[in-house]
Amino acid sequence: MTNNKIKLGWIEISPEESNLEIIDVGEKHFRRKKAFITGIAGQDGSYLAEYLVDLGYEVHGIVRRNSTPENQHNRIDHLEDKVHTYYGDLLDQGGLERLLDKIQPDEIYNIAAQSHVRISFDIPQFTVQTNALGVLNMLEAYRRACPKAKFYQASSSEMFGLSVEDDNFQRETTVMNPVSPYGCSKVFGYNIVRNYRRAYKLHTVNGILFNHESPRRGSNFVTNKVAKAAAKIKLGLQDKLELGNMDSYRDWGHSYDYVRAMHLMMQHDEPSDWVVSTMETHSVREMCELVFSHLGLNYKDYVVQNPKFLRPEELPYLKGDSTKIRTKLGWEPTYTFKEMMEEMVDHWLKVYTK
Ligand code: GDD
């Protein structure tokens, strides 16, 4: 155990505090920090759990019950013996409160959501219940069960909607003008987190994360949909790829880099709101070009538009200014856009050549 790890994943306690896993370093006593993650089985939840386990945290998390339990833990199968999972749901405040009361976490990461923007037009009420009321349920459970903990809320660049500053960026001070039920629900979550920070003096943090991807991304989000289809086309397993709007721009980073940012902002003494982004933007078309050319193909020969994948209202352009987290906390992404997309394509090539 290095001193560095003691700082990050362990917390200093008084000698009287009883805990099975206390370690002594000279005069000082430490125990593992405890984290509670909603959405632990999702892309970000799984990277975050991995990262925190590695730092020495005791990690707890909830997964939603569904009728095919075989698939529910796919992304965290490799952590089976290292994390504690429970059934839970953001709509079940009583259950959340009982768990928080029992676990008494030091840090709560509220990452669970109905996270698909186009699908939020199909199931708007469920989206708003989960992403807006769900945040309030978590805050109430936290306020009652463990108010000394710190609370992270997964806020989103989708909240900016149509607003772009004169220098073509969106940042912490940009006005929010959401264009989807998902975006509207996230604005409520963001605001109620700020409200509870001021009203009850709780340590609540908003991470305003721009799009973040990885091989663990659901394959109905555009990057992984394109990466997976291109790999299948290359291997002769698929002929065409149907997409919606190819002229929207996104600021795409890697989920691994973004969960490091979540943890970092939770270690800062002052609770605040932080934009996390690469500060670059690319169109869906450019992303297709990059992915197909990595495989020696021309995307124009395979990609067709299907109106089914268009949105009733589109968010055309995102580019985040993450100067605040870079200068105050020293965060930097480690992946370039190209490296990330190639990692995703190579992942699918491996899956389908087995
Ligand atoms: N999903 C999808 N499928 N998107 C497509 C397709 C398609 O077939 N064709 C074009 N697109 C375009 C969408 O219209 C959108 O402009 C862009 O690709 C990105 O879509 P998604 O990958 O679905 O992500 P998103 O930007 O809508 O939302 C993601 O990022 C948000 C952060 O801004 C999600 O991860 C949200 O949960 C997250 O908050």
Side-chain angles (χ1 to χ4, degrees), residues 120-266:
S120 78
F121 288 96
D122 299 338
I123 46 171
Q125 282 151 338
F126 172 76
T127 301
V128 172
Q129 279 167 20
T130 306
N131 299 0
L133 192 58
V135 181
L136 183 55
N137 289 342
M138 275 300 294
L139 285 169
E140 276 297 299
Y142 151 56
R143 184 162 83 91
R144 292 155 66 104
C146 52
K148 292 211 167 69
K150 293 180 175 180
F151 185 97
Y152 173 86
Q153 169 59 18
S155 287
S156 161
S157 52
E158 185 74 19
M159 302 187 304
F160 295 122
L162 297 178
S163 288
V164 186
E165 302 285 351
D166 290 344
D167 62 359
N168 292 331
F169 280 99
Q170 289 103 354
R171 54 178 61 87
E172 289 85 0
T173 48
T174 302
V175 170
M176 292 173 183
N177 188 5
V179 291
S180 60
Y182 172 85
C184 295
S185 69
K186 283 284 178 181
V187 171
F188 176 85
Y190 167 85
N191 279 319
I192 198 74
V193 159
R194 285 164 59 91
N195 172 233
Y196 270 49
R197 182 190 304 159
R198 293 186 301 259
Y200 303 116
K201 310 282 176 276
L202 294 170
H203 193 113
T204 62
V205 173
N206 274 302
I208 308 173
L209 270 50
F210 281 63
N211 298 51
H212 43 287
E213 321 293 310
S214 75
R216 295 186 199 168
R217 184 62 140 152
S219 51
N220 57 354
F221 292 91
V222 77
T223 52
N224 219 14
K225 180 172 172 180
V226 172
K228 182 178 177 182
K232 288 178 84 174
I233 288 170
K234 177 72 182 177
L235 297 170
L237 303 170
Q238 187 174 326
D239 299 328
K240 292 274 173 234
L241 165 60
E242 293 184 345
L243 290 179
N245 176 18
M246 295 184 69
D247 296 312
S248 58
Y249 282 77
R250 290 292 183 273
D251 177 331
W252 279 296
H254 197 291
S255 173
Y256 166 73
D257 283 332
Y258 287 33
V259 304
R260 287 192 301 107
M262 291 177 194
H263 176 254
L264 205 55
M265 57 183 98
M266 288 281 270

Side-chain angles (χ1 to χ4, degrees), residues 36-103:
F36 181 81
I37 305 174
T38 70
I40 193 170
Q43 170 188 250
D44 293 357
S46 64
Y47 278 111
L48 180 63
E50 237 169 66
Y51 185 65
L52 296 180
V53 163
D54 207 42
L55 293 177
Y57 279 67
E58 181 182 309
V59 176
H60 301 257
I62 52 168
V63 289
R64 284 181 69 215
R65 189 263 163 194
N66 71 29
S67 59
T68 45
E70 292 77 13
N71 300 332
Q72 264 184 298
H73 292 81
N74 282 359
R75 293 187 183 98
I76 49 169
D77 273 348
H78 61 296
L79 297 174
E80 198 185 1
D81 302 331
K82 298 183 176 151
V83 299
H84 309 268
T85 58
Y86 316 83
Y87 285 114
D89 195 306
L90 294 190
L91 300 182
D92 182 3
Q93 197 208 311
L96 296 171
E97 198 174 319
R98 277 195 299 280
L99 274 177
L100 291 180
D101 192 41
K102 188 169 116 197
I103 296 163

